[in-house]
Amino acid sequence: MNEVTTQNVAIIGSGPAGWTAAIYAARAALEPILFEGALTPENQDAGRLPMGQLATTTYVENYPGFPAGDLREYLKTTIAEERQYALPYDTFDDDASKRGVSGPALVELMRKQALDCGVRVVSEDVAKVDFSKRPFKLIDSNGDEYFARSVIVATGASARWLGLTSEELFKNNGVSACAVCDGALPRFYKRPILVVGGGDSAAEDALYLTKFASKVYLAHRRDQLRASNVMQKRLRENPKVELLWNRVPTEILGSSEKGVERVKLANTLDLKEAPLEIEASGVFVAIGRRPNTEFLEGALNLDANGFILHESASATATSVPGVFAAGDCADSRYRQAIVAAGSGACAALDAERFLMESE
């Protein structure tokens, strides 16, 4: 192996944690390489597209530094033209004073800032790793090998599904886990839609879909949402939203030609009750995320749900010295973009300190 080809820092993941780690590492003259993931049908089906969950959200109101305002002209001069397809200009409010940064725009700005700092980007997934010795070995989805003295894992998390046979049948034909990706499709226009979930993501999806649907049902297995108070208030005030308490989908009905047409929902308090059947042109699943850490099994210590465990005084250190974890792949509690970005900065600082002390 040629030691010259060994990277100081390899970063796996392209959400807020990954890009922030890359920016910090680049500014520390560590010349990092970042694997942003591949844009493939398999990744789309699994909810593991490049740029992370932030790229599937609408407005981001809680990320500091982006108050309401018309960002369109700024974004057009900042983001490369070939990347602007991801920016949802057409979903901005008519009132410019209410416009803020969208999730896709925010993560694109992070990517551009990292590129400006000199970060090398590889548009492939990391399929396998060997953390048994240093330098660490990473094999991407093309079979190419890379070596690194330290690694930062920031692979985020992807959507959880209901697990219904009919759900699999209608994926990409009315069933989706990304309202921003699919909500504007003609199949949903001026027709009823069902959203499943009870957190902020479900509430945000439901509100976003009211732009297109005639009615949005929000089904939750309990009688109280986990969403923040402000999101619950917006749901209650929107005349297009109807909350279905203590309900879970049991079967999605339709045809291969028309896609989803109806949904059966059981009563969680009385399973003997006949299911409620509603008309719906689509089902948007928003019941949480699972960490994208399958490729790490056996390489790092994970908890029962697959989240990477932090195992030292360092905020981001893992069970292998020199390997660090940041963002939602190691965070089952907060799951916020600002927290992920902060942990990405910590991981880069920890990696820099590790390299200084070990070499």
Side-chain angles (χ1 to χ4, degrees):
M1 180 190 66
N2 185 356
E3 192 67 21
V4 175
T5 64
T6 300
Q7 313 295 320
N8 287 315
V9 182
I11 301 165
I12 311 173
S14 57
W19 293 122
T20 305
I23 292 167
Y24 269 73
R27 286 175 53 81
L30 296 178
E31 300 180 336
I33 184 172
L34 182 144
F35 296 85
E36 68 175 347
L39 189 61
T40 64
E42 293 78 15
N43 279 345
Q44 183 172 5
D45 289 344
R48 292 193 302 262
L49 289 176
M51 311 299 279
Q53 296 177 65
L54 199 59
T56 67
T57 62
T58 51
Y59 295 118
V60 180
E61 298 177 326
N62 56 1
Y63 199 96
F66 292 93
D70 192 346
L71 293 175
R72 285 179 294 182
E73 292 306 314
Y74 169 70
L75 292 171
K76 288 177 181 178
T77 60
T78 304
I79 306 303
E81 185 175 354
E82 65 269 17
R83 301 283 305 182
Q84 292 190 17
Y85 71 90
L87 307 184
Y89 295 125
D90 58 339
T91 64
F92 281 113
D93 295 329
D94 292 334
D95 184 353
S97 66
K98 294 182 179 179
R99 297 174 186 144
V101 69
S102 69
L106 180 55
V107 76
E108 281 290 339
L109 289 171
M110 294 179 185
R111 185 182 192 274
K112 179 61 164 56
Q113 189 171 353
L115 292 175
D116 289 346
C117 290
V119 176
R120 178 186 172 194
V121 176
V122 177
S123 298
E124 297 292 340
D125 297 308
V126 172
K128 295 180 181 179
V129 298
D130 182 356
F131 293 158
S132 62
K133 60 182 179 180
R134 293 183 66 235
F136 305 119
K137 182 165 72 172
L138 293 78
I139 304 174
D140 74 10
S141 44
N142 272 337
D144 295 327
E145 295 184 351
Y146 298 81
F147 297 89
R149 298 181 178 89
S150 65
V151 173
I152 296 172
V153 182
T155 47
S158 55
R160 291 186 181 277
W161 296 95
L162 299 169
L164 302 175
T165 301
S166 52
E167 177 186 55
E168 288 293 327
L169 185 64
F170 289 105
K171 277 185 180 178
N172 299 318
N173 197 14
V175 171
S176 172
C178 181
V180 175
C181 305
D182 302 324
L185 292 175
R187 71 164 69 242
F188 304 124
Y189 186 64
K190 291 187 177 180
R191 299 181 65 194
I193 291 174
L194 172 67
V195 176
V196 183
D200 275 349
S201 294
E204 183 175 328
D205 284 358
L207 291 167
Y208 175 75
L209 291 168
T210 61
K211 296 173 180 285
F212 316 105
S214 59
K215 186 181 189 64
V216 177
Y217 296 99
L218 178 59
H220 184 44
R221 63 172 54 250
R222 300 182 179 86
D223 60 0
Q224 185 174 354
L225 297 177
R226 293 178 287 104
S228 60
N229 289 334
V230 65
M231 295 302 289
Q232 293 192 45
K233 182 174 183 291
R234 291 174 184 174
L235 288 173
R236 290 194 299 270
E237 292 176 349
N238 194 305
K240 283 191 174 182
V241 176
E242 181 177 339
L243 294 165
L244 301 177
W245 301 114
N246 303 309
R247 292 286 178 178
V248 293
T250 56
E251 187 177 6
I252 299 170
L253 306 171
S255 65
S256 58
E257 294 79 18
K258 295 183 178 180
V260 175
E261 296 179 271
R262 304 186 68 81
V263 182
K264 289 183 178 181
L265 300 108
N267 185 337
T268 59
L269 300 181
D270 184 2
L271 297 178
K272 294 181 180 180
E273 179 186 294
L276 171 67
E277 188 170 321
I278 62 170
E279 179 186 354
S281 61
V283 177
F284 287 83
V285 182
I287 57 174
R289 297 288 186 266
R290 60 166 54 86
N292 298 321
T293 56
E294 296 90 346
F295 71 104
L296 295 171
E297 189 171 352
L300 294 177
N301 287 350
L302 311 176
D303 71 10
N305 294 313
F307 290 93
I308 301 172
L309 292 171
H310 290 146
E311 300 195 17
S312 81
S314 164
T316 65
T318 69
S319 55
V320 175
V323 179
F324 305 89
D328 286 8
C329 64
D331 175 16
S332 61
R333 181 173 181 179
Y334 296 107
R335 295 174 292 179
Q336 299 294 311
I338 187 64
V339 177
S343 68
C346 292
L349 294 171
D350 288 341
E352 180 185 13
R353 185 173 295 110
F354 170 81
L355 292 172
M356 290 177 61
E357 293 175 352
S358 63
E359 300 179 4

